[in-house]
């Protein structure tokens, strides 16, 4: 069922993967700001709260559906955040990952070209090797897992698009939203420690963790300014997952003794993780006016949302 609101004379912005963590924050902020007519799309029923947007079912791996929805709605702007984001699942089920992250992006770019939408593609630090981060926008891509490979192919499809485009790259997104398909580091650490579970956390991988609200704000700055090119949209704090876990335990007053420091030789996952990533965000700060929260501020924001969600 599509939830529709009367169309307006505002420019249309279409969000793919709107039921996801980034998608929900994008819709929330766009509706709040009021500058766009917001079209939220996702596979299956709407899992968003609130109103002020139109929900349209859209499975981006269906080329016919993509063409019909995009050409009928002709959005001025598309923010394409939908993807298969479980990195280990991507390694183990490469066909599904390629469909969702590459073929779907191809269908969306083709449809965007027909209606000349400004196309904003959300990408990742996982396109890099992790040998020499943190990275600026000019760094050489060299993915170390299949998920990263598919996101890099997606980037290249977008860079060759015959319509205006931007790429918003981000890192280790954390936050809370409605009925999410996957967890994220703060929620996972908090729930493990509250359950009295011991966790092994690596201290040799480096990230610049990103509050979901900041990523959404960065994408909206790009949309409003119709900015073109590649922008690093992440947090500024350079931290290891172990440091993030300890800060999370500290903030929520949980038992730090349950957190055991380890390294990537002892803690392995099905898909290899790039060791040292993280982003230099000077370009987004200067050209977009992007201003991310600190990780500490991000935890506090999340804590308030968790209390709100449980009240
Ligand atoms: N999370 C992170 O740490 C990072 C994310 N990114 C990128 O940011 C973007 C958003 O990620 P995030 O919000 O965190 O991830 P989520 O997994 O929360 O959101 C992705 C959304 O895409 C949807 N989706 C998957 N397949 C399809 C499909 N065939 N048709 C329609 N929708 C589909 C999912 O639907 P459903 O909810 O029904 O499964 C989900 O809502 C992604 O492009 C990701 O690659 C980049 C760096 C870090
Ligand atoms: C589950 C787990 C993770 N970790 C570490 C590994 C990693 O550095 C960090 C996060 O691991 P996860 O597997 O939860 O998340 P991961 O799949 O690495 O997250 C990635 O998601 C995709 C979508 C991206 O685009 C990337 O930017 C990145 O955010 O925490 C541990 O140390 N111990 C653990 O038990």
């Amino acid at each position: 069922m599509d939830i529709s609101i009367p169309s307006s004379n505002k420019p249309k912005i279409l969000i793919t993967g709107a039921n996801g963590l980034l998608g929900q924050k994008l819709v929330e902020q766009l509706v709040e700001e009021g500058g766009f007519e917001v079209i939220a799309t996702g596979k299956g029923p709407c899992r968003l709260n609130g109103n002020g947007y139109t929900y349209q079912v859209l499975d981006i791996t269906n080329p016919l559906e993509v063409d019909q929805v995009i050409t009928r709605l002709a959005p001025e702007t598309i923010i394409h955040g939908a993807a298969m984001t479980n990195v280990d699942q991507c390694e183990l089920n490469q066909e599904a990952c390629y469909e969702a992250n590459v073929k779907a992006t191809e269908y969306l770019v083709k449809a965007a070209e027909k209606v000349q939408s400004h196309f904003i593609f959300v990408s990742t630090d996982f396109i890099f090797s992790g040998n020499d981060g943190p990275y600026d926008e000019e760094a050489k891509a060299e993915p170390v897992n299949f998920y990263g490979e598919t996101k890099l192919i997606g980037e290249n499809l977008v860079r060759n698009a015959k319509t205006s485009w931007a790429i918003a790259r981000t890192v280790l997104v954390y936050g809370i939203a409605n009925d999410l398909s996957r967890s994220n580091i703060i929620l996972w650490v908090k729930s493990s420690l509250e359950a009295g579970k011991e966790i092994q956390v690596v201290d040799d991988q480096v990230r610049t963790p990103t509050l979901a609200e900041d990523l959404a704000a960065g994408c909206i700055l790009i949309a409003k300014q119709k900015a073109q090119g590649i922008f690093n949209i992440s947090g500024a704090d350079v931290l290891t997952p172990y440091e993030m876990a300890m800060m999370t335990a500290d903030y929520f007053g949980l038992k730090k003794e349950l957190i055991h420091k380890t390294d990537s030789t002892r803690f392995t996952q099905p898909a290899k993780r790039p060791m040292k990533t993280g982003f230099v965000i000077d370009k987004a700060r200067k050209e977009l006016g992007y201003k991310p929260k600190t990780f500490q501020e991000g935890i506090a924001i999340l804590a308030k949302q968790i209390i709100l969600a449980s009240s």
Side-chain angles (χ1 to χ4, degrees), residues 2-299:
D2 303 335
I3 309 164
S4 295
I5 54 168
S7 66
S8 65
N9 52 8
K10 292 177 185 174
K12 287 193 192 94
I13 188 164
L14 184 141
I15 310 296
T16 69
N19 287 319
L21 176 56
L22 170 61
Q24 292 194 37
K25 302 301 184 183
L26 280 170
V27 172
E28 196 179 300
Q29 289 184 25
L30 285 165
V31 167
E32 175 74 22
E33 287 203 354
F36 288 94
E37 183 187 331
V38 183
I39 301 156
T41 75
K43 71 179 164 175
C46 178
R47 302 198 314 261
L48 289 136
N49 283 331
N51 45 38
Y53 58 88
T54 300
Y55 184 79
Q56 165 73 50
V57 175
L58 175 61
D59 177 345
I60 58 169
T61 59
N62 180 327
L64 256 185
E65 222 174 278
V66 167
D67 185 64
Q68 275 164 358
V69 167
I70 302 290
T71 49
R72 171 167 57 84
L73 295 169
E76 278 77 6
T77 307
I78 295 171
I79 301 182
H80 174 30
M84 185 165 164
T85 58
N86 183 313
V87 176
D88 293 322
Q89 275 307 311
C90 283
E91 202 71 22
L92 301 169
N93 186 349
Q94 298 192 357
E95 200 185 324
C97 177
Y98 195 81
E99 273 304 306
N101 294 359
V102 176
K103 295 303 289 178
T105 301
E106 187 188 312
Y107 306 146
L108 285 159
V109 165
K110 264 209 191 85
E113 288 171 342
K114 280 189 180 175
V115 296
Q116 284 299 291
S117 307
H118 181 53
F119 195 89
I120 301 168
F121 180 67
V122 187
S123 191
T124 171
D125 58 325
F126 276 25
I127 63 168
F128 295 110
S129 65
N131 297 332
D132 39 11
Y135 295 104
D136 67 15
E137 284 83 356
E138 310 310 317
K140 183 174 172 306
E142 216 178 336
V144 297
N145 57 48
F146 192 72
Y147 161 79
E149 275 177 48
T150 62
K151 293 299 284 189
L152 178 59
I153 300 170
E155 284 201 7
N156 292 334
L157 288 169
V158 171
R159 294 171 83 148
N160 292 316
K162 297 178 187 60
T163 188
S164 67
W165 60 267
I167 291 171
R169 289 179 181 155
T170 193
V171 181
L172 200 58
V173 180
Y174 63 93
I176 183 168
N178 221 31
D179 196 4
L180 287 176
S181 304
R182 69 192 281 258
S183 185
N184 51 77
I185 189 150
I186 295 188
L187 300 182
W188 163 70
V189 169
K190 179 173 181 294
S191 57
S192 304
L193 300 187
E194 282 169 342
K197 229 172 113 222
E198 309 216 14
I199 53 176
Q200 314 291 324
V201 190
V202 295
D203 198 32
D204 61 351
Q205 292 181 20
V206 175
R207 302 284 183 264
T208 48
T210 309
L211 180 67
E213 279 82 356
D214 283 340
L215 175 58
C219 291
I220 293 169
L221 285 169
I222 294 172
K224 284 171 32 177
Q225 298 170 33
K226 281 202 183 321
Q228 302 192 38
I230 300 172
F231 296 92
N232 287 347
I233 305 285
S234 78
D237 299 338
V238 181
L239 296 163
T240 71
Y242 178 74
E243 290 167 333
M244 297 175 216
M246 295 301 272
M247 287 174 73
T248 302
D250 260 341
Y251 184 88
F252 290 103
L254 299 167
K255 286 172 76 176
K256 292 197 282 192
E257 311 74 77
L258 293 171
I259 302 174
H260 303 292
K261 191 188 289 189
T262 186
D263 63 47
S264 304
T265 56
R266 288 180 291 158
F267 172 78
T268 56
Q269 299 173 274
K272 195 168 174 313
R273 283 350 188 237
M275 297 299 286
K276 201 167 175 298
T277 70
F279 284 157
V280 173
I281 58 171
D282 300 348
K283 179 182 175 189
R285 282 186 194 279
K286 207 164 109 250
E287 294 187 19
L288 300 173
Y290 173 65
K291 285 198 274 307
K293 302 285 184 300
T294 65
F295 188 67
Q296 192 65 27
E297 288 167 337
I299 299 178

